[in-house]
Amino acid sequence: MASRTFRDSSGVEWQVWEVHPTLAERRQSEERRQGERSTRERRVRYQPRAITRADLVHGWLAFKSAYERRRRAPIPPDWEHFSDEELSEILAVAERATTSVDESH
């Protein structure tokens, strides 16, 4: 997994890395069943699953500074070779991350 550190035009240092949700995290909606289950539960153990928004199922760039976190999807090809200025442009349009979905770094 690629990661970089860069400074934006204000001099703030950011870490940026790719996040790829695991198969278990890719469920896009809550319960799909319309009615009650006709058979007993098939899972041996229950594991809570995070629900990933449709625009994030193929991954995103996570940005982290001392002040905030942001994310941008989709992941631009070859972003790890972008200049600090190019990364700053992506950062400018990235959404603020209000959840801990990008805590994997």
Side-chain angles (χ1 to χ4, degrees):
M1 175 177 65
S3 68
R4 288 257 320 264
T5 300
F6 73 100
R7 290 191 183 276
D8 66 16
S9 59
S10 301
V12 176
E13 184 175 277
W14 291 85
Q15 292 177 312
V16 59
W17 66 94
E18 292 182 25
V19 176
H20 296 277
T22 65
L23 185 59
E25 294 171 327
R26 290 184 186 168
R27 180 177 282 184
Q28 295 180 26
S29 62
E30 291 289 337
E31 189 59 56
R32 295 178 301 216
R33 261 183 272 123
Q34 297 298 317
E36 291 294 319
R37 182 182 294 276
S38 60
T39 60
R40 67 178 187 77
E41 178 64 49
R42 293 175 295 179
R43 287 181 281 178
V44 176
R45 64 188 157 162
Y46 176 77
Q47 289 180 304
R49 295 180 182 169
I51 297 170
T52 303
R53 294 184 345 217
D55 62 328
L56 299 176
V57 295
H58 298 293
W60 61 91
L61 284 182
F63 293 86
K64 178 183 172 186
S65 76
Y67 311 104
E68 67 177 300
R69 295 170 183 261
R70 297 184 189 184
R71 62 179 159 240
R72 176 69 176 160
I75 300 170
D78 297 322
W79 69 269
E80 60 273 9
H81 302 292
F82 286 9
S83 67
D84 287 5
E85 183 178 305
E86 290 170 310
L87 286 173
S88 293
E89 290 173 8
I90 295 171
L91 175 66
V93 295
E95 71 176 77
R96 279 211 160 114
T98 57
T99 63
S100 60
V101 294
D102 54 358
E103 291 288 333
S104 61
H105 194 269

